């Protein structure tokens, strides 16, 4: 890849082709990285939750965020805030693991707030109340403590 020009995908859209690590940080061209999540994949809610949980458990919350983002963009309008909130939790964990404590805490709280309307229904077996509690507790911890280990802090999406 020519490093002086902007990377483009097959359709000509700007897309960074640099490899990424497990937390989504760009690595130098040619460095080994983790496999990227394909974009625009339409999954069932169950498939979304299984894939996102696998990535969270592997310490790759940035990649889990991309799975949630696909659900948010392709799902029904009345569920968009649910998937967006889950994506924000994953990005909050990403930032927290990268050492961006202020951004991580802010996104964790924002995600918990986005999930609040779904607390009573627990759609698709998602443990909404438990996730919200986890996010608020982690936000408080990262603001006053060291960088967290993403895999060790991975939440359980379903009860």
């Amino acid at each position: 890849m020519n490093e002086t020009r902007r990377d483009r995908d097959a359709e000509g859209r700007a897309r960074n082709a640099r490899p990424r690590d497990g937390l989504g940080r760009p690595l130098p061209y040619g460095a080994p990285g983790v496999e990227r999540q394909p974009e625009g994949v339409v999954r069932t809610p169950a498939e979304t939750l299984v894939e996102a949980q696998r990535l969270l458990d592997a310490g790759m919350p940035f990649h889990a965020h991309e799975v949630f983002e696909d659900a948010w963009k392709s799902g029904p309008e009345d569920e968009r805030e649910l998937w967006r909130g889950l994506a924000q939790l994953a990005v909050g964990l990403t930032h927290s693991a990268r050492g961006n404590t202020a951004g991580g805490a802010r996104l964790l709280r924002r995600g918990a707030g986005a999930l609040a309307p779904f607390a009573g229904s627990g759609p698709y077996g998602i443990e909404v109340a438990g996730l919200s509690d986890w996010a608020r507790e982690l936000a408080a911890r990262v603001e006053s403590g060291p960088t967290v280990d993403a895999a060790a802090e991975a939440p359980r999406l379903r009860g």
Side-chain angles (χ1 to χ4, degrees):
M1 179 57 52
N2 180 344
E3 294 182 46
T4 63
R5 298 178 56 183
R6 196 163 193 192
D7 299 338
R8 302 277 175 186
D9 66 13
E11 286 80 43
R13 292 179 301 224
R15 177 163 168 87
N16 192 320
R18 288 170 59 184
R20 297 198 176 249
D21 72 5
L23 292 174
R25 293 175 290 217
L27 299 169
Y29 287 100
V34 300
E35 187 174 337
R36 294 176 86 155
Q37 288 298 302
E39 292 182 27
V41 176
V42 177
R43 298 173 181 88
T44 66
E47 291 168 336
T48 295
L49 292 166
V50 166
E51 180 63 4
Q53 188 70 66
R54 181 186 73 77
L55 292 164
L56 289 166
D57 291 345
M60 300 188 333
F62 176 83
H63 303 278
H65 142 268
E66 292 179 331
V67 170
F68 289 134
E69 191 172 275
D70 284 339
W72 152 25
K73 291 179 177 179
S74 67
E77 184 69 34
D78 63 339
E79 293 181 3
R80 292 214 171 136
E81 281 301 301
L82 170 70
W83 301 112
R84 188 170 77 108
L86 292 169
Q88 288 170 330
L89 294 183
V91 173
L93 179 55
T94 299
H95 282 286
S96 298
R98 288 179 178 176
N100 176 1
T101 57
R106 184 171 46 252
L107 281 161
L108 288 164
R109 288 188 180 105
R110 188 179 302 159
L115 293 179
F118 300 94
S121 61
Y124 309 111
I126 298 170
E127 187 60 44
V128 175
L131 283 171
S132 295
D133 291 345
W134 166 84
R136 289 186 186 98
E137 186 274 329
L138 183 59
R141 245 186 321 122
V142 300
E143 285 176 322
S144 62
T147 300
V148 300
D149 177 301
E153 297 292 345
R156 301 302 317 151
L157 300 173
R158 295 181 179 175

